[in-house]
Amino acid sequence: MKIISFIALVALILTAVILNATNPSSAGPFGILAFFVCLYVLFICLTYVVFLTSERIAAKFFNFKNSRNESKYKTYYYSTVISLAPVIYVGMQSMGDVGIFEILLLGVFELLACFFIHKRY
């Protein structure tokens, strides 16, 4: 948990530096890629911490027992898929106007990816 929090802090600092030090036209493709990668890593860490915390709360209050190794991997897979949604949304927003249809398609993509993880792992 400490390592994940440290990685999230580093990603947050790098994202803030990229946003404050450059603009998209001067950063170029590498700067934009670095921004999206840092944002993705930040969201992965945040969703993973939220999932682990909610799992611990559920285990404490509802006597929920699960195998820890399988649960950690599955939690990581879910967090990677779910954290991709805000990054895709920011990318779509930077390309143009995002309407309800695009948001619904993003939601369907997320549901299908989560369903795949549920069935596969």
Side-chain angles (χ1 to χ4, degrees):
M1 192 75 119
K2 292 179 184 179
I3 295 171
I4 295 169
S5 300
F6 178 73
I7 292 171
L9 182 65
V10 169
L12 180 67
I13 290 171
L14 286 175
T15 304
V17 166
I18 290 171
L19 286 175
N20 289 322
T22 63
N23 58 12
S25 61
S26 69
F30 181 70
I32 295 171
L33 178 66
F35 169 73
F36 281 117
V37 167
C38 288
L39 194 66
Y40 182 58
V41 168
L42 176 67
F43 281 125
I44 285 175
C45 292
L46 291 178
T47 54
Y48 190 71
V49 167
V50 166
F51 284 160
L52 283 183
T53 306
S54 63
E55 185 179 290
R56 287 181 184 172
I57 290 171
K60 185 176 182 178
F61 288 117
F62 301 116
N63 294 328
F64 177 69
K65 302 290 183 194
N66 200 355
S67 67
R68 296 299 300 163
N69 290 336
E70 179 183 322
S71 178
K72 283 185 180 181
Y73 287 121
K74 199 170 191 176
T75 303
Y76 175 72
Y77 293 145
Y78 276 123
S79 64
T80 56
V81 168
I82 291 173
S83 62
L84 189 61
V87 176
I88 291 175
Y89 180 75
V90 169
M92 288 188 320
Q93 191 74 356
S94 68
M95 295 298 291
D97 193 26
V98 176
I100 190 73
F101 181 70
E102 289 84 5
I103 293 173
L104 286 175
L105 284 176
L106 183 59
V108 168
F109 168 73
E110 288 293 318
L111 286 174
L112 286 174
C114 288
F115 179 72
F116 173 75
I117 290 171
H118 176 72
K119 287 295 182 185
R120 177 84 166 116
Y121 301 103

